[in-house]
Every structure is written in C-alpha cells, then in structure tokens.
Amino acid sequence: GHTRNGDFMFFINLFFLNSFLGFIMETSLKYLLYPNMHNGILFGPWVPLYGFGALFIYALYSLIEKKLSWKKIWKVFLLFVSVVVFLSLLEWLGGTLIEFLFHKEFWDYGDQKFHLGSYISLRMSLLWGYNKYFKLQRQRSCEDAPERLTHAPTQPHQERIQNRRSGAESTG
C-alpha cells in the first residue's frame, strides 16, 4: 500500500496539479471568452485556490466513501451538495480577500440570475459542483497510474489495485 511519504507526495501533487490546471482554465477563459477578466494574483502558472479546494474535496470524498454506509445515490447527492456549498464559500472568501487586500474585483456575478453579491451565483456554483464531482470520479480511476507506469502489471500488483479500490487493503 501507500507509505506515509507516498501519501504526502500524493497530496503535494494533487495541490500543485490542481493549482496549475486552475491557472490553465482561467487563462483559457480570459483569452477565449472574457478578455477583461483578471486571473490570479500570483506570478507563475498556478492559482493555489484550486489546489486548496482539491485537497478539501478529496478529503471530503474519502470521508463520505469510507465512513458512510449509505446507498451510492445518497453519497453522490451529499458529495455534490457539499462540494457546491464549499466551493461557493471558497469563491466568496477568495473574492472578498482579493477585494480587501488589493482593492480589485476580479470577477462579478452580479449580472447573473440567482446571485449572492458579486462572488457567488447559482449557475457557477452548480457548474463547479458538477465539474469537481466528475473530476473526482476520473481521479479515482487514475490513482494507481504512477504505479502502472513504473511497474509491469503483475498479478500481485493487479490484486493490490483491486484491494485498494474495494477498501480491503489497510492504510497503515
């Protein structure tokens, strides 16, 4: 199974990968759809807000999957609602802090229906929830990709992957 160092590196990679993908997404939106959009307050190709969001969502996902013995549909519903609420709060906090610290408003959802102030709208919150839920599903299927790339798929290795997916392997 994963070692403690391996788990640490997984979370470091999760943070930086999502920070980088957030930068790519925001830069693409800026150049393709919203030329007046401000995307990021830091130098370099990363937006840490996406990294922190990914870490929290992964932890929440793991908690729901491992600790609740509900039917899958209720787990999906709880995860989706939790992600929507969390990301809406994170977006509001990020926008409020940027406005307070830098005296700039990087985005404004005030022209959308069902908005709450400038930084939260129902449309964007649902879009984030949908996006992150399906990203988690893809991520789960890729968790063992580094091992598959560096090791020949032997029978014991395939059994470890299957055990990890079924939750049978211990995490200690």
Side-chain angles (χ1 to χ4, degrees):
H2 285 294
T3 63
R4 290 190 191 274
N5 189 37
D7 287 341
F8 177 74
M9 288 309 299
F10 171 79
F11 292 116
I12 293 292
N13 288 328
L14 182 66
F15 174 82
F16 282 108
L17 177 64
N18 280 276
S19 295
F20 178 71
L21 292 174
F23 171 81
I24 296 294
M25 183 197 66
E26 285 193 1
T27 302
S28 299
L29 285 173
K30 176 180 178 148
Y31 287 107
L32 297 175
L33 300 174
Y34 307 106
N36 295 326
M37 180 178 124
H38 298 283
N39 62 321
I41 57 174
L42 301 174
F43 294 106
W46 64 308
V47 181
L49 195 64
Y50 291 95
F52 289 119
L55 290 173
F56 178 83
I57 291 167
Y58 184 82
L60 180 66
Y61 175 75
S62 297
L63 182 70
I64 289 172
E65 283 294 312
K66 291 177 183 171
K67 300 295 182 185
L68 294 179
S69 58
W70 297 355
K71 289 185 178 182
K72 181 150 179 85
I73 188 73
W74 293 113
K75 287 182 180 182
V76 168
F77 179 75
L78 177 62
L79 181 65
F80 180 78
V81 169
S82 300
V83 166
V84 166
V85 169
F86 171 74
L87 291 178
S88 296
L89 290 172
L90 190 61
E91 191 164 31
W92 174 81
L93 180 64
T96 302
L97 284 174
I98 288 170
E99 185 177 357
F100 177 76
L101 295 173
F102 301 102
H103 308 290
K104 292 183 179 183
E105 191 174 74
F106 278 21
W107 67 93
D108 184 357
Y109 298 139
D111 61 340
Q112 295 186 14
K113 282 187 175 183
F114 309 112
H115 66 90
L116 182 60
S118 297
Y119 303 124
I120 298 176
S121 77
L122 182 61
R123 182 175 138 227
M124 289 306 295
S125 294
L126 293 175
L127 182 64
W128 286 122
Y130 174 82
N131 178 341
K132 291 300 179 185
Y133 175 76
F134 285 102
K135 186 176 180 185
L136 278 169
Q137 296 305 312
R138 287 190 312 270
Q139 179 181 331
R140 183 177 171 114
S141 67
C142 295
E143 282 180 343
D144 295 309
E147 288 181 13
R148 288 195 307 262
L149 292 173
T150 58
H151 295 86
T154 62
Q155 185 63 31
H157 176 70
Q158 290 172 343
E159 289 173 5
R160 281 195 315 272
I161 291 172
Q162 186 62 34
N163 288 342
R164 200 174 294 151
R165 287 187 182 143
S166 67
E169 188 172 326
S170 67
T171 59

